Amino acid sequence: MRWQIEKKLTDQLDRETGYVRYPFGSRHTMAICYPNTYETGMSNLGLQIIYQQVNGRGDFQCERAFLPDKDLQKLYDKDHIPLLTLENQRPLCDFEIIGFSINFEMDYFNVPFILEQGRVPVEAAKRQDDDPLVVMGGPVAFFNPEPLTPFIDVCLVGEGEDLIHAFLDAWLAAKAEPGMTRQKLLQRLAQVDGVYVPSLYTHVYNEDGELTAIVPEAGAPEHVRRQWHELTKPGETVIATPDTEFGAMYLIEIARGCGRHCRFCMAGYCYRRPRVRPLEYVKEAVLRGKKLGKKIGLMGAAISDYPYIDELVTFIRDQGLAFSCASLRADSITPTIVKGIAESGQKTITLAPEAGSDHLRNIINKGINEEHLLHSIDLCTAAGIHKVRMYIMIGLPWETDEDIQGIIDMTHRVRAHMDAIGNSAGITLSINPFIPKPMTPFQWMAMTDKKTVEKRLDHIRKGLAHDKRIEILAEPLRQCYIQGVLSRGDRRVGQLLLLAHTYGGVKGWKRAAKEMHFDVDAFLYTKRPEQALLPWDTLDNGLVPNYLTQELRQAEKGAYTRPCFDGCRRCHICGGN
């Protein structure tokens, strides 16, 4: 019954601090949806930041909706209740704008499900003038939104703090004009920098299924330039709740972007250039977290690269606060950081060598070596952090059998080194297949076939099986290879997603591919020509033309690309163009 759902949502709100609730309809209405459960969605700082920006305007109210967990979904299904928002328990179809914050490929399947549950037409092409406008933000929107274009009216291409206001201002201005149809509204919104309207672009394929042209309608820009934010607005927890993965933490974004140039990493290219928040702002945010009695969670691409990290850690500990880091690099970790996280109760150090050989680490431009790993382990062991977790990829471009053996040999050396310094704690290897990402130097590369990856994973397991202190974890390969399709998918993959939705979502994926005669293996395992038109080529991330191909050549040679530095003009994102 609906009252049971409303009670669960109200109880959820009662456990929060910092949310905003206005009488429904007293302002223009926007619902922001995270296509996963509340526990996952409310761990996402980006969603909270946009929630704060919209509610702070004075002319909009922003409410939240999430994928129901299993127990809540049973209540929705029992009486066919539409998906309700948290703040005012209103169906999604009652809102003027519905925003999706999308970060992970496997969440794509939840987008049509949430729309259907919210009584919103699933397909954008079937929406009428009085239906909600469905908008997508988050990293997916600005590296490859094409697989989601059957469901999305508008994509916000870039970081949202400023872009959301430009979009909403344009929406208000257009809606104020008499006779504004949905089509005219979309055409008007497409004039805003950073706003991509997929329906205004036709993708043309030849008889072999190759994308040959992307044709914009008259008046639509040929390319949509992604937008950046200079970190002038707050970047910390807005809504505190105990019911998330980071429920005990007050999250603070201390930096954004990464200039390390790891060639496999989408974040390193889509969030370039690196920017840091002033130390004084971060200290003030720490004190706000202290008032809530929270542990401090430092967020950023590489926390140990923050230029004031030692001073910040010292400040946090002087306040009597514990803290945790989103990520550390083995070549920039310091004794101060290690001492601080040990005193904060952390028992495991997580490092990401990504590969077991210098050969492959040079190809991907990782920039660390085994000495960095061992030095980090020394620091952590001395501080009382004994367990080690290492992230490894297999199936990287130009990988050889020797590189796979290198993972085994490296792990044995790490194990021997730990024993030599009196550290008998366990090692966990988190091993997953490499997935090529759009807008990176490896965007053209084939994914290594599943059988080869299984064989190499089995070889690693056998090579390390004798030491029970070494644990190997791997994500289910089926999901990884679905991600491989979605990551670089085109609009035909969007149709595949739509059909899979009718068959139950991810469990209907294989059936939908078979019915559409979609050759998944050919899509994954065929290297794309560097001159090929790519589905995401409408989006301009600011890189100088040919920069990615130049980096691909560097990868082939195993040549090093120096991290970003002041005055650098290599990629042109920092104003070189």
Side-chain angles (χ1 to χ4, degrees):
M1 302 179 76
R2 180 164 174 153
W3 70 267
Q4 293 175 296
I5 297 173
E6 291 179 348
K7 184 179 186 305
K8 280 184 172 289
L9 297 177
T10 300
D11 290 346
Q12 186 73 72
L13 279 180
D14 288 344
R15 292 192 293 273
E16 294 183 348
T17 58
Y19 72 87
V20 177
R21 179 165 56 191
Y22 299 104
F24 189 80
S26 60
R27 299 174 171 209
H28 289 289
T29 56
M30 177 176 178
I32 186 168
C33 303
Y34 196 91
N36 210 308
T37 61
Y38 176 94
E39 180 184 16
T40 301
M42 285 304 295
S43 300
N44 183 270
L45 191 55
L47 178 141
Q48 296 201 32
I49 289 171
I50 297 303
Y51 177 87
Q52 181 184 51
Q53 289 297 315
V54 177
N55 278 317
R57 285 176 56 92
D59 50 8
F60 267 88
Q61 61 186 100
C62 185
E63 303 190 13
R64 291 165 292 150
F66 301 92
L67 183 75
D69 62 26
K70 291 181 180 179
D71 291 338
L72 190 55
Q73 187 62 51
K74 289 178 183 177
L75 294 177
Y76 276 115
D77 291 343
K78 183 177 179 181
D79 293 309
H80 306 287
I81 304 297
L83 183 65
L84 304 178
T85 57
L86 204 54
E87 282 77 4
N88 277 304
Q89 291 96 53
R90 302 291 296 227
L92 285 185
C93 57
D94 286 356
F95 288 78
E96 295 170 284
I97 299 173
I98 296 172
F100 279 93
S101 177
I102 305 178
N103 296 263
F104 305 107
E105 285 94 350
M106 294 308 291
D107 286 346
Y108 292 13
F109 292 94
N110 297 329
V111 172
F113 179 82
I114 286 175
L115 290 171
E116 187 171 75
Q117 292 282 295
R119 304 293 193 268
V120 178
V122 170
E123 296 180 66
K126 294 182 179 179
R127 294 182 196 130
Q128 304 299 313
D129 288 350
D130 56 351
D131 285 319
L133 190 74
V134 180
V135 182
M136 176 169 69
V140 169
F142 55 94
F143 76 87
N144 181 23
E146 296 307 322
L148 288 165
T149 53
F151 320 113
I152 302 298
D153 296 306
V154 173
C155 300
L156 302 185
V157 183
E159 297 162 25
E161 289 94 332
D162 302 313
L163 181 53
I164 188 64
H165 296 292
F167 164 74
L168 292 177
D169 288 344
W171 183 89
L172 285 170
K175 294 290 282 187
E177 296 182 14
M180 181 57 63
T181 64
R182 191 180 193 87
Q183 182 63 20
K184 289 181 180 178
L185 173 64
L186 293 173
Q187 291 169 341
R188 185 68 58 84
L189 292 173
Q191 304 309 309
V192 179
D193 289 341
V195 174
Y196 172 50
V197 179
S199 63
L200 302 184
Y201 298 81
T202 300
H203 285 216
V204 180
Y205 300 88
N206 64 19
E207 59 185 12
D208 295 324
E210 298 169 340
L211 181 64
T212 58
I214 301 176
V215 183
E217 284 189 11
E222 185 175 351
H223 293 99
V224 178
R225 182 73 179 265
R226 68 93 84 214
Q227 303 296 296
W228 282 263
H229 173 63
E230 294 303 321
L231 305 191
T232 56
K233 295 177 180 176
E236 60 196 89
T237 291
V238 175
I239 300 169
T241 171
D243 300 327
T244 74
E245 180 182 352
F246 304 126
M249 292 188 196
Y250 191 83
L251 303 179
I252 305 170
E253 182 192 44
I254 66 173
R256 186 177 298 177
C258 180
R260 289 286 193 158
H261 298 246
C262 296
R263 295 177 179 125
F264 62 87
C265 180
M266 181 272 295
Y269 287 86
C270 287
Y271 285 100
R272 190 178 299 181
R273 59 185 169 82
R275 290 143 289 162
V276 300
R277 293 190 186 273
L279 178 60
E280 288 308 310
Y281 165 81
V282 179
K283 286 182 176 181
E284 291 168 2
V286 168
L287 296 178
R288 287 188 283 273
K290 182 179 181 180
K291 288 181 180 179
L292 293 173
K294 297 282 190 177
K295 182 178 182 179
I296 302 302
L298 301 179
M299 308 296 290
I303 298 302
S304 51
D305 282 352
Y306 184 64
Y308 320 111
I309 188 61
D310 282 356
E311 185 177 348
L312 174 59
V313 167
T314 301
F315 177 80
I316 292 171
R317 296 298 301 138
D318 286 347
Q319 295 297 317
L321 296 172
F323 78 99
S324 180
C325 296
S327 59
L328 295 170
R329 277 188 60 96
D331 59 345
S332 59
I333 196 170
T334 70
T336 301
I337 299 173
V338 171
K339 181 174 181 290
I341 59 177
E343 292 173 347
S344 298
Q346 187 165 317
K347 302 299 184 184
T348 302
I349 181 68
T350 300
L351 303 169
E354 312 293 0
S357 66
D358 288 335
H359 166 247
L360 265 189
R361 283 193 290 268
N362 290 338
I363 285 173
I364 65 176
N365 205 56
K366 184 63 185 179
I368 66 171
N369 56 41
E370 208 163 295
E371 290 183 5
H372 293 130
L373 295 179
L374 300 181
H375 176 65
S376 298
I377 292 169
D378 288 344
L379 291 177
C380 292
T381 301
I385 302 173
H386 295 99
K387 294 181 180 179
V388 175
R389 185 185 185 105
M390 294 191 291
Y391 286 113
I392 300 290
M393 287 186 290
I394 55 177
L396 284 160
W398 300 290
E399 181 181 78
T400 67
D401 290 342
E402 288 74 20
D403 295 315
I404 297 300
Q405 183 62 39
I407 296 170
I408 298 170
D409 296 341
M410 177 189 70
T411 306
H412 282 316
R413 288 192 294 269
V414 169
R415 176 73 272 161
H417 181 80
M418 291 172 65
D419 289 339
I421 60 175
N423 182 351
S424 61
I427 298 173
T428 298
L429 293 186
S430 181
I431 306 178
N432 290 296
F434 161 71
I435 300 173
K437 298 291 185 179
M439 296 192 181
T440 70
F442 293 154
Q443 66 182 355
W444 298 279
M445 304 302 289
M447 197 168 174
T448 300
D449 70 87
K450 187 177 177 181
K451 289 183 179 180
T452 299
V453 167
E454 288 173 337
K455 180 180 177 181
R456 290 176 176 175
L457 191 56
D458 187 57
H459 179 70
I460 294 169
R461 287 193 175 108
K462 289 179 179 177
L464 298 172
H466 73 284
D467 194 328
K468 301 305 179 184
R469 296 173 298 171
I470 300 173
E471 178 187 27
I472 296 176
L473 301 177
E475 187 176 351
L477 290 184
R478 177 176 181 266
Q479 287 195 13
C480 295
Y481 282 84
I482 293 175
Q483 291 174 43
V485 175
L486 296 176
S487 175
R488 295 186 296 169
D490 55 19
R491 295 192 176 185
R492 295 169 301 179
V493 172
Q495 294 303 312
L496 177 56
L497 264 177
L498 179 61
L499 185 58
H501 167 68
T502 66
Y503 296 144
V506 66
K507 65 183 181 182
W509 174 260
K510 188 174 182 179
R511 177 182 173 185
K514 183 177 181 180
E515 189 169 311
M516 284 183 59
H517 305 289
F518 186 90
D519 191 338
V520 172
D521 288 353
F523 188 92
L524 288 170
Y525 306 147
T526 303
K527 184 178 179 180
R528 304 185 184 190
E530 292 173 28
Q531 69 275 13
L533 183 65
L534 299 172
W536 49 90
D537 278 349
T538 302
L539 308 184
D540 178 4
N541 67 356
L543 295 172
V544 66
N546 300 324
Y547 179 76
L548 294 179
T549 53
Q550 292 170 12
E551 277 298 298
L552 184 61
R553 298 285 84 77
Q554 290 284 90
E556 286 182 284
K557 296 184 292 185
Y560 180 63
T561 295
R562 178 184 173 188
C564 296
F565 56 91
D566 289 342
C568 172
R569 293 294 181 268
R570 290 171 298 184
C571 74
H572 284 206
I573 283 180
C574 295
N577 53 345

